[in-house]
Amino acid sequence: MIDLRPAIYVIGLVIVALGGMMLFPLALDWYAGDPNWLAFLQSGILCVVCGGAAALATANAARSGLTLQQVFVLTVFTWVAACLFGALPLILGAPGLGWTDAVFEATSGLTTTGATVIVGLDGLPPGANLWRGMLHWLGGLGIVIIAMLFLPVMKVGGMQFFRSEGFDTLGKVLPRALDISSALVQIYVVMTLACAVTYAALGMGGFDAVVHALSTVSTGGFSTSDQSFAKFAGPLEYAAIVFMLAGSLPFIRFIQAWQGEWQPLWRDRQVRAYLRWNAYAVGAIVGYELLTHDLPFETVLRETAFNVVSVFSGTGFTSADLSSWGAFPFALLFAVGLIGGCTSSTGCSVKVFRWLILFEAVKLQLRRLYAPSAVNMLRYEGRTVEEDVVDAVISFFTLFMLTFGLLSVALSLAGLEFETAVTAAWTAIANVGPAFGPEVHPTGALLAFPDAAKWIMVGGMLIGRLELLAVYVLFMPRFWRG
Amino acid sequence: MIDLRPAIYVIGLVIVALGGMMLFPLALDWYAGDPNWLAFLQSGILCVVCGGAAALATANAARSGLTLQQVFVLTVFTWVAACLFGALPLILGAPGLGWTDAVFEATSGLTTTGATVIVGLDGLPPGANLWRGMLHWLGGLGIVIIAMLFLPVMKVGGMQFFRSEGFDTLGKVLPRALDISSALVQIYVVMTLACAVTYAALGMGGFDAVVHALSTVSTGGFSTSDQSFAKFAGPLEYAAIVFMLAGSLPFIRFIQAWQGEWQPLWRDRQVRAYLRWNAYAVGAIVGYELLTHDLPFETVLRETAFNVVSVFSGTGFTSADLSSWGAFPFALLFAVGLIGGCTSSTGCSVKVFRWLILFEAVKLQLRRLYAPSAVNMLRYEGRTVEEDVVDAVISFFTLFMLTFGLLSVALSLAGLEFETAVTAAWTAIANVGPAFGPEVHPTGALLAFPDAAKWIMVGGMLIGRLELLAVYVLFMPRFWRG
Ligand SMILES: [K+]
Ligand SMILES: [K+]
């Protein structure tokens, strides 16, 4: 049996930290004279007490390093615990959600999905909206740290390919994990501030700018308004495009750029492919819209670019009614959501790196058919990709599609219409944000979903965010035998 | 450059044979006193003349054996040529289709898809309906021969796993390909006769029984009636279940059973999994329908079993309005269509064997995560599955999903609604039959689809039927350099 105490210790500390974070919305609501600050005080105390007790009870066992099994347990249950405790302020204070809705909202926040069950966002106390944005921001930061430090060691979904990159290459510059993390936090904070300042300069109110910046760089998608980004149509959309793209690029390259090495960023095959594919998708839809609708060019370009990048990066802001664009743009957006951002970004879904490996593997397979004696090596950025990386990538993809299918069937069993079930499964597994169908509120909120559907989506969002395998491995009986 | 003459030679002979086959509908329409026999005479002559000329012109080059490249060219272009020439009677005679519709109908026939563009099937001359059934039957026979003799050598989609099975194991009993083929034809004919006799005994008219038998054992799905199998609701549905299942089981096992060895059939892991999954799907939907609708048990059981097996086997007969069953049954049927029948059957889609390998590969991957030193061998029916088989299976799956996505996007670009585009892509790539959406005629016919959509589906049906890789390999420039 695995010793769970070291994992519980860390999770306890994380919950204490989460409680500490509640001081920000507490202060804001206090300052705004909104009695909702009390909810954050209560929740914060609960977090500190529960988290602290857990950490204290297990502190003795926490001195040794972590085994691989413990890392898996730690990763998954940190998210689960944070989703439960992060939900507290939404239950104890405004908007006074029930358990199901609050956990859905917090999970949607921490997994950077951005699907909401709240209608009337514009009227929420500022602290509640700030907390929603902060959940995105913290979840995004957390996943980048996991992706950069843990996943390569855990060998999840082919991420071992980046093992040497995270450690060896950077090894000379940033010898320790703590240094990587601190560089990352600095970059993430600077990006967020730059985004908030840009939003404010282009006319967004200060508070809206901050919350939207939190949910932009984390490719989250929560908004302070029921209208999402439609409320900020215009130049602000172009600004958002820049920061959504930034949030979905590989942060490892930003760390290198932070150290003065900009070349790896521009030369990165993922970055180039990602930007190119975004441009293709925007071009295709702009062409289609101009041919089929009589709209001004700038409007079409802006709305298309904003919404395509929003889905591609997995942010999920909307500034137009996507389902009214026609079947082709809708189908393309659906496909784009299954690609997603780059590895070690806040983006989610299958990710560009894995698609590039899949394309190469298929090409190799085709070549083998007519030239069985040809060289069978898969190369990426000049490096040979080991067989175990290819296997892992391909297993990841298979599991992703399987999970997507199972979620669709499960959501339809929970009572959703077929279209709603499929798009909700899509938004959950790929952490995109929007869903479409008769049960979706005109604002895009999913409050009318049956409770069972909400819980299935909570599971789906966590599975998608934590790279599937990291979660599924916990369901193997032999895993626990250690 | 590849020498195409040996392939053209064989294709020419196939077209001559196809022309000869037209004697059956010719004779039937003549006997029925329907002037439509003339269309079969003209088409038959065209086939014999064109096919004969092609064969004669290339007969000199045909003495040597075929290279691997030539086998690919032969496989793909035999189907393409047969779809073009098989369409002739539907243009020159009843129902007087245009090129697009006729090629669609013939391709849907020869790929055993079963989607039709004709409304008014009940009023067609008998020869035309017989020809549609024969296209299914010939296409089904052709694909089983390809799957049993060619694909293992072509190593398409992991089929090399069955190489030894087709040749070594059977080697002692049936030393030559011709023997396998002739055993196969005997079994196929007996199955078809048994099916027709059963249908007739249970009340179907003689002609309907024959045509439906042709399209049942081939898992095709064309009917002589606009109502499809709803016209024959009752005991006939149970009979169809048996023969649709038979058509989607591995024919290699039938050949062994034909030789007196029944055990391999019952012990086959694919067969067991396939029958079990069918039972699960039927059980789940029956349970759901009984809970949500107030219908008699026998009706629910019969309709569910018939339609689930129809989609699972890729036959595509319908006896009920599937889209009215609710979202869960619909989602489950959609998923079931992406599994499909067994290898070396007339069934299509990903196939049970590949799903079993995929499951094993994912399980292995999960085990590797926490036990990196564990044995990494994948086993199937007691045999080790070589790495190249696993790679091929997994590349097949990736390509299948990619193609499905691309077809969906392309069909929506061609003007179909999203739901129609996705279900039409599904029916094309997996050769299922039905599609759903506002553009689908109440009888299920796709006649209102735009021409572009019909041609995209023609491509999709061929790609799906010919196991994707066999088609895609022709698009690689290096393939043609020999
Ligand atoms: K999102
Ligand atoms: K079919």
Side-chain angles (χ1 to χ4, degrees), chain A residues 277-291:
Chain A
W277 295 350
N278 265 287
Y280 292 161
V282 171
I285 295 182
V286 166
Y288 180 86
E289 291 297 310
L290 289 177
L291 285 172

Side-chain angles (χ1 to χ4, degrees), chain B residues 311 333-335 337-338 404 421-432 434-436:
Chain B
V311 170
L333 282 175
F334 194 83
L338 297 176
F404 177 34
V422 172
T423 55
W426 171 79
T427 221
I429 187 72
N431 300 144
V432 184
F436 305 89

Side-chain angles (χ1 to χ4, degrees), chain A residues 20-329:
Chain A
M21 287 290 162
M22 291 178 188
L23 286 172
F24 290 99
L26 189 161
L28 183 66
D29 275 353
W30 172 281
Y31 176 79
D34 194 305
N36 197 46
W37 65 268
L38 205 62
F40 289 103
L41 181 64
Q42 294 166 329
S43 308
I45 292 171
L46 273 170
C47 286
V48 173
V49 169
C50 296
L56 283 177
T58 50
N60 288 338
R63 285 187 195 141
S64 52
L66 293 171
T67 66
L68 195 57
Q69 271 92 340
Q70 287 168 337
V71 172
F72 278 104
V73 172
L74 174 61
T75 305
V76 175
F77 285 99
T78 301
W79 247 266
V80 171
C83 292
L84 295 177
F85 282 93
L88 287 176
L90 303 172
I91 301 171
L92 299 174
L97 301 177
W99 258 103
T100 301
D101 281 348
V103 171
F104 182 96
E105 194 80 7
T107 308
S108 178
L110 283 165
T111 59
T112 74
T113 304
T116 184
V117 286
I118 304 171
V119 172
L121 293 171
D122 310 73
L124 281 190
N129 269 326
L130 177 64
W131 184 239
R132 292 168 70 245
M134 284 178 67
L135 288 172
H136 270 340
W137 195 83
L138 294 169
L141 180 63
I143 204 66
V144 177
I145 291 178
I146 297 279
M148 221 176 278
L149 301 178
F150 283 12
L151 293 184
V153 189
M154 290 154 88
K155 299 192 179 182
V156 165
M159 290 294 285
Q160 60 264 48
F161 185 76
F162 298 105
R163 194 169 187 169
S164 56
E165 207 161 1
F167 290 95
D168 296 358
T169 316
L170 282 169
K172 294 152 204 164
V173 187
L174 298 164
R176 281 165 302 134
L178 205 65
D179 286 349
I180 298 188
S181 304
S182 91
L184 189 68
V185 172
Q186 289 171 43
I187 292 165
Y188 198 54
V189 168
V190 168
M191 268 173 65
T192 311
L193 287 176
C195 184
V197 169
T198 311
Y199 282 167
L202 291 172
M204 222 186 249
F207 173 68
D208 286 343
V210 169
V211 175
H212 282 97
L214 292 172
S215 68
T216 303
V217 299
S218 62
T219 66
F222 278 155
S223 173
T224 55
S225 168
D226 286 344
Q227 298 173 57
S228 187
F229 235 77
K231 190 175 175 183
F232 310 106
L236 278 164
E237 288 177 273
Y238 292 110
I241 289 170
V242 173
F243 288 99
M244 290 191 290
L245 284 175
S248 49
L249 292 179
F251 278 48
I252 196 105
R253 300 295 173 223
F254 291 153
I255 296 184
Q256 288 171 302
W258 192 251
Q259 308 290 330
E261 290 184 63
W262 283 88
Q263 287 222 336
L265 177 62
W266 308 132
R267 285 199 183 155
D268 190 299
R269 188 165 158 200
Q270 257 198 113
V271 173
R272 286 162 171 261
Y274 179 61
L275 296 177
R276 203 165 55 233
W277 295 350
N278 265 287
Y280 292 161
V282 171
I285 295 182
V286 166
Y288 180 86
E289 291 297 310
L290 289 177
L291 285 172
T292 55
H293 293 79
D294 187 27
L295 290 166
F297 176 73
E298 196 274 339
T299 310
V300 171
L301 177 67
R302 178 167 42 77
E303 287 198 350
T304 305
F306 178 82
N307 289 286
V308 165
V309 171
S310 177
V311 171
F312 219 138
S313 64
T315 311
F317 286 137
T318 48
S319 75
D321 177 12
L322 303 186
S323 56
S324 73
W325 284 9
F328 169 66

Side-chain angles (χ1 to χ4, degrees), chain A residues 143-144 147-148 151-152 156-159 161-162 165 247-253 268 270-271 274 339-355 357 380 393 396 465 467:
Chain A
I143 204 66
V144 177
M148 221 176 278
L151 293 184
V156 165
M159 290 294 285
F161 185 76
F162 298 105
E165 207 161 1
S248 49
L249 292 179
F251 278 48
I252 196 105
R253 300 295 173 223
D268 190 299
Q270 257 198 113
V271 173
Y274 179 61
I339 301 178
C342 302
T343 48
S344 88
S345 77
T346 65
C348 190
S349 197
V350 176
K351 298 195 182 72
V352 177
F353 167 71
R354 295 208 182 91
W355 277 110
I357 296 290
Y380 181 86
V393 165
F396 179 92
R465 180 73 280 185
E467 308 267 296

Side-chain angles (χ1 to χ4, degrees), chain B residues 169-214:
Chain B
T169 316
L170 282 169
K172 295 152 203 161
V173 188
L174 299 164
R176 281 163 303 136
L178 206 65
D179 287 348
I180 297 189
S181 305
S182 92
L184 189 67
V185 171
Q186 290 171 41
I187 292 165
Y188 198 55
V189 168
V190 168
M191 267 172 65
T192 313
L193 288 176
C195 184
V197 168
T198 311
Y199 282 167
L202 291 172
M204 223 187 248
F207 173 69
D208 286 342
V210 170
V211 175
H212 281 98
L214 292 173

Side-chain angles (χ1 to χ4, degrees), chain A residues 68 154-155 327-328 330-331 362 365-366 369-370 387 391-392 394 399 409 412-413 416 418 473 476 478, chain B residues 68 154-155 327-328 330-331 362 365-366 369-370 387 391-392 394 399 409 412-413 416 418 469 473 476 478:
Chain A
L68 195 57
M154 290 154 88
K155 299 192 179 182
F328 169 66
F330 191 76
V362 168
Q365 190 60 37
L366 282 170
L369 287 183
Y370 61 88
E387 188 72 37
D391 285 354
I394 272 169
L399 212 48
V409 173
S412 65
L413 187 56
L416 296 180
F418 186 63
V473 81
M476 303 201 79
R478 275 196 233 167
Chain B
L68 195 56
M154 292 154 88
K155 299 192 180 182
F328 169 66
F330 191 77
V362 167
Q365 190 61 37
L366 282 171
L369 286 181
Y370 61 87
E387 189 73 39
D391 284 354
I394 272 169
L399 212 49
V409 173
S412 64
L413 186 56
L416 296 181
F418 185 65
L469 294 145
V473 79
M476 303 200 81
R478 275 196 231 170

Side-chain angles (χ1 to χ4, degrees), chain B residues 25 38 80 104 161 179 189 208 271 306-307 412 448 464:
Chain B
L38 205 62
V80 172
F104 182 96
F161 185 76
D179 287 348
V189 168
D208 286 342
V271 173
F306 178 82
N307 289 286
S412 64

